[in-house]
Amino acid sequence: MGIFGFFKKKENKENLDQGLQKTKSSILSRLGKALMGKSQIDEDVLDELEEILITSDVGVNTTIKIIDRIRNRVSKEKYTNTSELDYLLRDEITEMIRENLNTENEDFYVPTQELNGRKVPHVIMVVGVNGVGKTTTIGKLAYRFKQQGKTVLLGAGDTFRAAAVEQLRIWSDRVGVPILEKGMHVAPATVAFDAIKEGIDGGYDVVIIDTAGRLQTKTNLMRELSNIKKAMGKVQAGSPHEVLLVLDASTGQNAIQQAKAFTEATEVSALALTKLDGTAKGGVVIGICDEFRIPVKYIGVGEGIDHLQIFNPEEFVGSLFKSNG
Ligand code: GDP
Ligand code: MG
């Protein structure tokens, strides 16, 4: 790693620590209180820990698993000193996430693909409820790809809200990547179709398609998403290559409900969890990693263009449970 890489890594770590500050200080201050005057990890400590994890939106099922793991570890290794609890938590939670899913800690793999001798783009469709951060995440994602020397085209498929197309255009200007838009009221499937066509004609590496996130019934959601996917498949077989579901971490358990609804409605290949900064509910990321077998690929830790990070379980859990200083 060169000197630039080193500083970039340091900056990412600072953004992560900063972004998780609210969740972290809420967990650690309560943990500190629970452990006050205690030297041994006993059942009382585990009870307190259970409550702390549940109220940090880790979720009941996942919390029970974590407590069981800690209890086993304590009895097996005779690790009973309370000063080791944060270390045990980091170790066991990371291990639990790693056992459930294989996150690669890398950006979406964008292979050079050909169809009938022509280069074709890697297509990412972005889905999720209104307001979770889809458009923002698309902008940040486009920036990441651009930094890696890839050519990116955005498709403005949220045609239901006047401001939606405009907002994506602002991101396209900010990042310096083109956008394909057809204004409002056009069917999202039409935009998706045209964007991929343009992606092929223009020889782009990546096409990222925004979609509308109207709260709707499961059947409608399924129909809408499948229409868009069908249109994509018509212009380029195998498209979309990724369906990225964006969830707002600050909504806590609600994010889990949304993940359930979307994964039942369509095949989701990756998750992005946004707005970890400014919430004490960051524990939900752990619950989602445990409950779904879909990798959390990205996390949003701020509104800035470089506030989208690759999710790395060790770093995330490390930042969450390590006291400063
Ligand atoms: P969409 O409706 O799903 O497209 O959501 P938007 O991309 O429009 O985002 C909704 C709001 O959330 C905007 O004000 C964004 O700036 C904000 N937002 C998105 N991601 C993050 C994040 O990681 N941190 C913070 N603090 N705000 C975010
Ligand atoms: Mg949007």
Side-chain angles (χ1 to χ4, degrees), residues 130 134-136 158 161 164 167 210-211:
N130 275 344
K134 287 183 298 299
T135 305
T136 309
D158 182 355
R161 291 182 297 169
Q167 199 193 349
D210 200 1
T211 62

Side-chain angles (χ1 to χ4, degrees), residues 265-291:
T266 193
E267 209 169 300
V268 173
S269 63
L271 305 173
L273 278 136
T274 62
K275 308 190 203 179
L276 279 160
D277 55 309
T279 180
K281 298 182 176 182
V284 72
V285 178
I286 296 169
I288 283 176
C289 287
D290 180 51
E291 285 204 26

Side-chain angles (χ1 to χ4, degrees), residues 218-239:
K218 192 173 140 192
T219 350
N220 285 341
L221 182 64
M222 280 169 108
R223 194 179 306 131
E224 188 162 306
L225 294 177
S226 104
N227 279 346
I228 302 175
K229 283 171 100 170
K230 237 185 256 159
M232 291 182 176
K234 263 185 210 153
V235 55
Q236 180 190 345
S239 262

Side-chain angles (χ1 to χ4, degrees), residues 55-319:
T55 48
S56 306
D57 273 274
V58 170
V60 176
N61 294 339
T62 305
T63 296
I64 291 171
K65 276 192 210 167
I66 295 170
I67 299 292
D68 280 348
R69 294 182 77 115
I70 301 280
R71 186 182 285 117
N72 283 340
R73 183 89 178 255
V74 166
S75 76
K76 204 163 69 197
E77 296 181 19
K78 309 277 173 268
Y79 257 123
T80 51
N81 200 315
T82 48
S83 66
E84 319 217 47
L85 187 56
D86 62 341
Y87 161 74
L88 283 184
L89 278 166
R90 291 201 296 274
D91 212 38
E92 289 300 324
I93 294 174
T94 307
E95 185 61 28
M96 183 188 73
I97 294 175
R98 287 282 181 208
E99 280 169 13
N100 190 44
L101 50 89
N102 180 18
T103 18
E104 297 140 26
N105 309 333
E106 280 168 11
D107 270 295
F108 281 132
Y109 174 58
V110 177
T112 306
Q113 311 170 93
E114 285 194 1
L115 192 68
N116 306 327
R118 283 178 91 189
K119 183 180 154 197
V120 292
H122 194 66
V123 178
I124 302 168
M125 172 179 171
V126 180
V127 301
V129 169
N130 275 344
V132 291
K134 287 183 298 299
T135 305
T136 309
T137 300
I138 291 170
K140 293 167 171 175
L141 201 53
Y143 176 72
R144 290 188 72 95
F145 285 130
K146 199 184 174 197
Q147 294 255 306
Q148 293 160 19
K150 304 217 157 67
T151 53
V152 185
L153 174 68
L154 306 181
D158 182 355
T159 55
F160 290 93
R161 291 182 297 169
V165 174
E166 179 54 25
Q167 199 193 349
L168 193 66
R169 192 185 307 123
I170 292 170
W171 273 105
S172 109
D173 287 343
R174 192 179 295 167
V175 179
V177 295
I179 177 174
L180 184 131
E181 50 156 306
K182 313 216 87 179
M184 258 180 90
H185 306 308
V186 180
T190 306
V191 177
F193 185 94
D194 287 4
I196 297 177
K197 195 163 175 307
E198 174 63 24
I200 297 171
D201 292 344
Y204 287 92
D205 295 310
V206 189
V207 175
I208 313 177
I209 314 269
D210 200 1
T211 62
R214 295 174 301 163
L215 276 174
Q216 45 196 348
T217 64
K218 192 173 140 192
T219 350
N220 285 341
L221 182 64
M222 280 169 108
R223 194 179 306 131
E224 188 162 306
L225 294 177
S226 104
N227 279 346
I228 302 175
K229 283 171 100 170
K230 237 185 256 159
M232 291 182 176
K234 263 185 210 153
V235 55
Q236 180 190 345
S239 262
H241 305 93
E242 305 280 355
V243 176
L244 176 67
L245 172 63
V246 180
L247 301 166
D248 175 349
S250 73
T251 63
Q253 294 304 297
N254 212 340
I256 294 199
Q257 293 313 315
Q258 288 172 18
K260 285 202 178 111
F262 274 86
T263 50
E264 280 167 17
T266 193
E267 209 169 300
V268 173
S269 63
L271 305 173
L273 278 136
T274 62
K275 308 190 203 179
L276 279 160
D277 55 309
T279 180
K281 298 182 176 182
V284 72
V285 178
I286 296 169
I288 283 176
C289 287
D290 180 51
E291 285 204 26
F292 296 88
R293 286 192 160 266
I294 302 166
V296 174
K297 194 80 184 160
Y298 295 99
I299 51 172
V301 292
E303 291 184 278
I305 197 165
D306 61 353
H307 283 153
L308 185 73
Q309 302 196 344
I310 297 283
F311 174 68
N312 175 315
E314 284 83 7
E315 281 170 18
F316 183 87
V317 175
S319 173

Side-chain angles (χ1 to χ4, degrees), residues 6 35 164:
F6 173 78
L35 298 180

